[in-house]
Amino acid sequence: MKIVPEVRRINPNGMKTFFLPLALLFLFTGCGNEKNTDTNSDKPLTGKDSLKKEITENLPPPTEIRQFSWFYSMFAAAATMDGGDTIFDHYVSPEHGLWIISSEGAMPHFTNVKSINDYKRSDGTKLLPMDKDRMLAAPKEEELPSVDCNSKTFWNKDGCFTREENKFKEEKIWQYAGLTNDKEKEVEALAGTISRTVINTQTYRFYFSLINGSWYLTFLDIRKPCEA
């Protein structure tokens, strides 16, 4: 089990801060579906082993909304921390990195980074920290919002929403980004791993993949809807 630094979780009302160890996150996301492979089932369990057995056997699947909401609250807290870049990087796959999608005129532009610090917007600013008031909203499990260019907010509804679906793979926007054939294949393969989509109409579109039992942010779409 991967052990990582603790992260500060911030109450949306700004009244109190407390610390949650990220090691717990990987217990919940990485170990939730592991089976007990101990063939000596008659061996008495210690108190610690009994607790671990009780937790893992009763844990919901990683894609289930209760567990994902727990993960997302940790992720959002890391995204809003001052100096939280290092912690945020624990949510980026060391193998695949993070693809950030921005606008380059009317066409999407794909940039792959292994560290969020490696990315800067066109004006030279970094993505972190993100706005606390906007990011710390818990995603609602319901139909994702659609772009509506006739709406003042450019969405058909406002808020933060999640769904266990992968429209990103269906849209295939990487085909219009001027990538090489090899990069297109790399992006398409990674897009196939997306398990959860989060759309926060006040911030960005987040695409999460469950890879080897752990959640990673694999694609981040920072484009504004209806932007030419």
Side-chain angles (χ1 to χ4, degrees), residues 19-40:
F19 290 92
L20 293 173
L22 279 182
L24 288 177
L25 171 61
F26 287 95
L27 168 64
F28 278 79
T29 58
C31 302
N33 292 330
E34 290 180 358
K35 301 296 184 181
N36 186 356
T37 57
D38 187 357
T39 55
N40 188 5

Side-chain angles (χ1 to χ4, degrees), residues 72-73 75-77 79-80 88 129-139 160 200 202-204 206:
Y72 186 81
S73 68
F75 163 79
T80 60
F88 186 93
M130 297 181 188
D131 185 88
K132 295 182 178 70
D133 293 334
R134 296 177 177 181
M135 271 299 295
L136 293 179
C160 184
N200 186 329
Q202 296 189 50
T203 57
Y204 306 124
F206 305 86

Side-chain angles (χ1 to χ4, degrees), residues 59-155:
L59 206 62
T63 53
E64 204 269 350
I65 185 59
R66 287 176 296 168
Q67 191 181 153
F68 180 79
S69 294
W70 165 261
F71 159 81
Y72 186 81
S73 68
M74 303 283 281
F75 163 79
T80 60
M81 289 176 61
D82 290 326
D85 303 10
T86 302
I87 295 176
F88 186 93
D89 285 347
H90 288 295
Y91 300 95
V92 176
S93 167
E95 178 182 358
H96 303 287
L98 167 64
W99 285 94
I100 299 175
I101 307 159
S102 57
S103 293
E104 192 170 276
M107 308 303 289
H109 181 71
F110 279 65
T111 304
N112 184 259
V113 297
K114 293 295 177 69
S115 171
I116 195 66
N117 254 339
D118 294 337
Y119 184 82
K120 291 184 180 179
R121 299 183 184 93
S122 57
D123 61 3
T125 59
K126 295 182 178 181
L127 285 176
L128 299 188
M130 297 181 188
D131 185 88
K132 295 182 178 70
D133 293 334
R134 296 177 177 181
M135 271 299 295
L136 293 179
K140 301 175 183 177
E141 171 82 345
E142 59 180 72
E143 184 177 354
L144 296 173
S146 300
V147 172
D148 181 0
C149 294
N150 294 319
S151 167
K152 291 182 179 180
T153 62
F154 304 115
W155 294 99

Side-chain angles (χ1 to χ4, degrees), residues 1 27 31 34-36 45-59:
M1 182 172 66
L27 168 64
C31 302
E34 290 180 358
K35 301 296 184 181
N36 186 356
L45 295 175
T46 65
K48 182 179 179 180
D49 289 338
S50 295
L51 178 59
K52 180 180 179 181
K53 184 173 184 290
E54 179 70 18
I55 291 174
T56 56
E57 287 186 353
N58 290 283
L59 206 62

